[in-house]
Amino acid sequence: MQIPHIPVLLDEVVENFKEIDGYFIDATLGYGGHSEALLEANKNIKILGIDQDEEAREFSRKRLEEFGDRIKIYRGRYSEVVPKLLEKFPIKGLLADIGVSSLQLDKAERGFRFDSDVLDMRMDRTNPFTAYDVVNNYSQEQLKEIFYKYGEIRNAAKIAQEIIKNRPIKSAKELAAIASRVLPKKGKIHPATTLFQAIRIEVNQELIELEKLLDALELYKPKGAKIGIITFHSLEDRIVKQRFKEWAKKCICPPQSMRCECEGDHQLGMILTKKPIVATQEEIAQNPRSRSAKLRIFQFRDDNGTQR
């Protein structure tokens, strides 16, 4: 079976979740790389995989069918499916690999590539809202806002204005050409990289999805569960880092309080990664896209209020 996607930080994921006994959520199943490795390494794990991409789900069904009832696959956004699974199953762990898969990036018809003839960028192709709608229907102010917020583009106003002037824009190729004229090139990185990132995040509501996932975990507080989240850019990593930090706080008194009055036992668990786990040089050489990957892990308190 030809594998279209190389999962990042695979050895590190297996090492950190190898002792899970019971139900584990792979919130971003993709092409099943992480799930396959975990199922092979741990006979006691049962994986509940989620993905909104039909092509990815079908591929993973075939790839993982040998594991029988140890794998069950769900369709949908993880922000919608995870709360249902947390309510139904005693979850012992969760992994979320935030971002776009290599196959989605590499297939020109998906519209993520700079040379694509379409403007799509949907992870869920049943969603009617595409990159074309963002580029051609958003106001100049809306475009400026998402370019600055999601792409951290300093001259967001200029590229937004240029897009308005060149409408209609029908392909990613056209959009990349406009970006090349307006945005500065940084080394070998294509000038359109952060622009495409911002549009992709808007189309798929990626940061909102991540926030909703963390909200669900905070609400259900799965006892003793290990939570691993892999991010690929600073916006995502900042959200995860800050939320894990909040969860680990013992004292929840207001900052202006002179002394602790909450009894200081409010931490939901502990951060297991003081610094994020990153790819080795060997992995980066094999898979350059792993260069920006960061894995942070948090463990919720168990029934006794302690970590396992």
Side-chain angles (χ1 to χ4, degrees):
M1 191 175 193
Q2 187 174 358
I3 308 300
H5 174 69
I6 304 172
V8 301
L9 302 173
L10 185 61
D11 293 341
E12 292 81 359
V13 166
V14 171
E15 177 63 26
N16 280 280
F17 293 103
K18 64 184 180 183
E19 296 177 358
I20 297 291
D21 187 354
Y23 289 102
F24 180 91
I25 297 175
D26 187 343
T28 47
L29 178 65
Y31 294 87
H34 287 122
S35 282
E36 181 182 60
L38 287 167
L39 288 163
E40 288 177 343
N42 183 353
K43 303 302 180 185
N44 297 318
I45 200 169
K46 291 184 178 181
I47 292 182
L48 308 171
I50 306 166
D51 210 285
Q52 57 183 314
D53 189 312
E54 182 180 2
E55 188 175 2
R57 291 196 309 275
E58 287 308 309
F59 185 94
S60 288
R61 276 195 185 91
K62 293 175 184 176
R63 182 177 186 175
L64 304 174
E65 62 184 352
E66 66 178 284
F67 298 102
D69 61 2
R70 293 177 61 209
I71 174 74
K72 188 167 183 180
I73 298 174
Y74 297 82
R75 175 191 179 279
R77 293 175 176 267
Y78 57 73
S79 66
E80 298 168 353
V81 181
V82 166
K84 297 174 184 176
L85 298 181
L86 289 171
E87 193 168 294
K88 185 176 181 180
F89 298 99
I91 301 301
K92 302 301 181 183
L94 177 145
L95 176 70
D97 180 356
I98 310 299
V100 188
S101 75
S102 296
L103 186 62
Q104 290 168 332
L105 287 170
D106 291 339
K107 281 197 168 185
E109 65 267 28
R110 298 302 296 267
F112 291 97
R113 285 171 43 164
F114 303 133
D115 61 351
S116 176
D117 290 324
V118 296
L119 260 178
D120 194 325
M121 302 192 193
R122 292 172 297 171
M123 293 180 186
D124 179 359
R125 298 178 83 174
T126 65
N127 178 9
F129 186 69
T130 70
Y132 181 92
D133 298 308
V134 173
V135 171
N136 290 288
N137 298 332
Y138 274 28
S139 69
Q140 185 170 325
E141 192 58 37
Q142 286 175 308
L143 290 174
K144 174 186 170 184
E145 183 180 351
I146 67 165
F147 295 161
Y148 185 78
K149 183 178 179 181
Y150 297 151
E152 299 181 297
I153 299 172
R154 290 185 180 180
N155 48 349
K158 188 175 180 181
I159 185 65
Q161 183 180 42
E162 198 67 19
I163 285 171
I164 297 290
K165 283 166 56 179
N166 285 275
R167 283 174 171 175
I169 299 169
K170 298 180 180 179
S171 70
K173 192 185 299 181
E174 291 176 62
L175 183 62
I178 293 168
S180 295
R181 294 198 303 267
V182 177
L183 299 175
K185 186 175 181 180
K186 298 178 181 178
K188 296 181 180 180
I189 300 173
H190 195 289
T193 300
T194 53
L195 177 70
F196 274 51
Q197 172 186 297
I199 295 169
R200 192 198 80 214
I201 290 173
E202 177 69 9
V203 170
N204 298 289
Q205 296 292 287
E206 293 174 38
L207 299 188
I208 294 173
E209 282 287 291
L210 177 56
E211 292 276 17
K212 286 182 178 179
L213 171 65
L214 295 168
D215 288 344
L217 290 166
E218 186 172 330
L219 176 65
Y220 285 93
K221 305 174 185 64
K223 309 254 182 224
K226 269 189 181 181
I227 310 301
I229 300 183
I230 300 173
T231 61
F232 288 86
H233 56 76
S234 59
L235 297 172
E236 297 166 340
D237 184 57
R238 199 176 301 141
I239 290 171
V240 175
K241 180 181 178 181
Q242 186 57 40
R243 189 66 72 98
F244 282 6
K245 188 177 177 181
E246 290 294 323
W247 290 352
K249 281 184 178 178
K250 294 182 178 181
C251 174
I252 57 172
C253 293
Q256 62 269 25
S257 298
M258 297 295 292
R259 57 188 175 83
C260 177
E261 298 177 355
C262 70
E263 298 183 0
D265 188 32
H266 293 274
Q267 71 272 31
L268 302 185
M270 66 184 295
I271 297 169
L272 301 184
T273 48
K274 291 183 179 179
K275 290 185 178 180
I277 297 170
V278 297
T280 62
Q281 288 303 312
E282 291 77 12
E283 180 177 0
I284 293 171
Q286 182 186 11
N287 179 17
R289 287 174 180 163
S290 67
R291 174 188 305 116
S292 54
K294 292 181 178 180
L295 169 62
R296 294 184 186 273
I297 302 174
F298 182 91
Q299 185 168 23
F300 281 97
R301 295 166 66 148
D302 65 14
D303 291 323
N304 299 315
T306 58
Q307 271 67 50
R308 291 176 179 169

